[in-house]
Amino acid sequence: GMVSALTYSRSLDGGVTWDINRSVIPQIDASNYYHFNGDDYDIDVNGDNVAIVAGGLDNDVVLLKSSDNGGTWTKTIVKQFPIPMFDATTMITDIDSDGIADTLETNDGSVQVLLDENGMAHVWYGNMLMINDAPSSTGAVSYFPGTDGLMYWNESMGSSPAVMIAAAHYLY
């Protein structure tokens, strides 16, 4: 039911057989998201701990974590996109319902996750601004490539927002 879904596969014998094959994780299925793009995710594994982070210009930055090798998952929204189920082919980025597209702070899709030796997930993503003032059949949106900032969040931060840990310093 999604335009493009993120799926999970698992082999416990080095790829000879696959006991989980192209499974859509329930927390990121069509009831929660319109799509995920092919390069807007990352995965890390440490023992039976598996962490997946996914994002994109018009998606949440979402952490999916499993402590049983992908049998069950816990979902944490690291950065929420303000318009659920956003579809750039039919919607504008109007978050205050005034009929005018708003510029939104989001992520650029360059998401990364690392599980440390204690199993804690650390998430990084690029800061980005985007707007969609005219739906199009291609789903193209406008973004601001001069937007800057490397954002960081880890599980010990709970519901606190990610923090900017690096940015370019421009001299004019």
Side-chain angles (χ1 to χ4, degrees):
M2 296 176 76
V3 173
S4 54
L6 181 63
T7 63
Y8 177 73
S9 299
R10 174 180 78 184
S11 173
L12 300 175
D13 59 12
V16 176
T17 61
W18 297 84
D19 64 324
I20 298 175
N21 193 13
R22 293 187 212 126
S23 173
V24 175
I25 299 168
Q27 293 91 330
I28 60 167
D29 62 12
S31 65
N32 296 292
Y33 294 95
Y34 179 67
H35 73 97
F36 284 98
N37 291 325
D39 293 330
D40 294 347
Y41 74 94
D42 189 40
I43 186 169
D44 194 28
V45 178
N46 184 345
D48 286 342
N49 293 316
V50 181
I52 300 170
V53 66
L57 278 177
D58 56 4
N59 266 334
D60 299 335
V61 175
V62 60
L63 171 67
L64 301 157
K65 189 173 176 191
S66 173
S67 59
D68 60 4
N69 208 3
T72 59
W73 297 92
T74 301
K75 174 183 171 183
T76 303
I77 296 176
V78 175
K79 168 77 174 163
Q80 187 170 30
F81 190 76
I83 305 171
M85 304 287 287
F86 183 76
D87 177 0
T89 66
T90 62
M91 303 167 78
I92 65 171
T93 53
D94 179 13
I95 60 173
D96 56 9
S97 300
D98 64 358
I100 300 170
D102 299 303
T103 300
L104 307 178
E105 184 177 347
T106 186
N107 72 94
D108 68 0
S110 61
V111 293
Q112 298 290 306
V113 65
L114 173 81
L115 287 169
D116 67 20
E117 63 278 356
N118 298 314
M120 182 187 301
H122 300 261
V123 174
W124 296 265
Y125 62 91
N127 193 37
M128 183 54 65
L129 296 173
M130 65 88 72
I131 189 171
N132 193 33
D133 59 358
S136 72
S137 61
T138 64
V141 299
S142 297
Y143 68 98
F144 300 77
T147 307
D148 190 28
L150 177 62
M151 307 304 288
Y152 171 76
W153 178 89
N154 70 53
E155 289 179 288
S156 73
M157 296 167 71
S159 62
S160 296
V163 295
M164 188 177 295
I165 60 168
H169 181 70
Y170 297 101
L171 297 175
Y172 295 98

